[in-house]
Amino acid sequence: MLADFYPLADARNVQLAMTAETPCRFLGDRDAIGKLIAILLDNAIRYSGSGGAVELRVVNDGKICALEIVDDGPGIPEDAMPFIYDRFFRAAPQGVEGTGLGLAIARSTADRHGFRLMHQNRSGATGTVAHLRFDPTAVPTA
C-alpha cells in the first residue's frame, strides 16, 4: 500500500518511510480499511512541505496494535482540532486542495470497525501524528 503513494510523495518532494515492529491482525473490510489508511497517508503527504518526510509506523507490543502516520507539516491549529472529523471542515493552509471529507470518511470507517482514530500535533516539532488503534477483539458493524 505504501508503494502506491511514492508517486505523490515524489511529486511533492516528500520522503516516505515505514517502521514495523510486528504485523497487526484485526477483523474488518479490507477495502474500507485500505481507504482509511490511504486518506491518512494522502493527508500527511499533502500537508508536508517540499523536502518533508512522512513515516508510517506499525506498533504492536502484544497489547496495543496501532498505526501511526507522522508528518512534518504545519500541524493543526489547536482551536480547529475538535472539528477536523466534521464533514466539509477544513483547517488546511491555503494552496492545499481538498473537500474536507477525507477525515470524516476515515472516522466513520474507524468507528464502524471499532478502531480509535485520533490526531495530535507533534510535541517539540512541527507536524501531526494520526493514531489509528485497532482492537483485535472488535467485531465490525455493517
Side-chain angles (χ1 to χ4, degrees):
M1 165 178 261
L2 192 62
D4 295 339
F5 288 90
Y6 282 119
L8 175 62
D10 195 41
R12 298 187 55 82
N13 192 29
V14 172
Q15 190 169 14
L16 284 179
M18 180 173 170
T19 304
E21 298 168 6
T22 306
C24 290
R25 293 184 176 259
F26 47 87
L27 297 173
D29 178 330
R30 181 183 197 100
D31 292 336
I33 295 167
K35 179 67 175 169
L36 186 166
I37 295 168
I39 289 168
L40 300 177
L41 282 169
D42 184 77
N43 278 357
I45 293 167
R46 288 183 190 280
Y47 287 100
S48 290
S50 179
V54 171
E55 181 181 7
L56 171 64
R57 299 176 185 160
V58 179
V59 179
N60 185 354
D61 68 2
K63 298 175 191 166
I64 295 172
C65 186
L67 292 182
E68 295 177 345
I69 299 174
V70 182
D71 70 57
D72 60 2
I76 300 169
E78 289 300 325
D79 60 340
M81 198 64 84
F83 308 105
I84 64 171
Y85 304 108
D86 294 351
R87 290 185 310 155
F88 304 112
F89 180 80
R90 289 186 37 85
Q94 285 187 324
V96 177
E97 294 181 25
T99 62
L101 289 174
L103 289 181
I105 293 167
R107 170 55 69 85
S108 175
T109 301
D111 289 349
R112 275 195 327 273
H113 284 81
F115 302 160
R116 182 168 182 234
L117 174 62
M118 63 175 260
H119 282 73
Q120 69 183 55
N121 288 315
R122 294 173 62 189
S123 71
T126 61
T128 306
V129 181
H131 299 273
L132 182 61
R133 184 172 174 173
F134 305 103
D135 179 350
T137 63
V139 177
T141 60

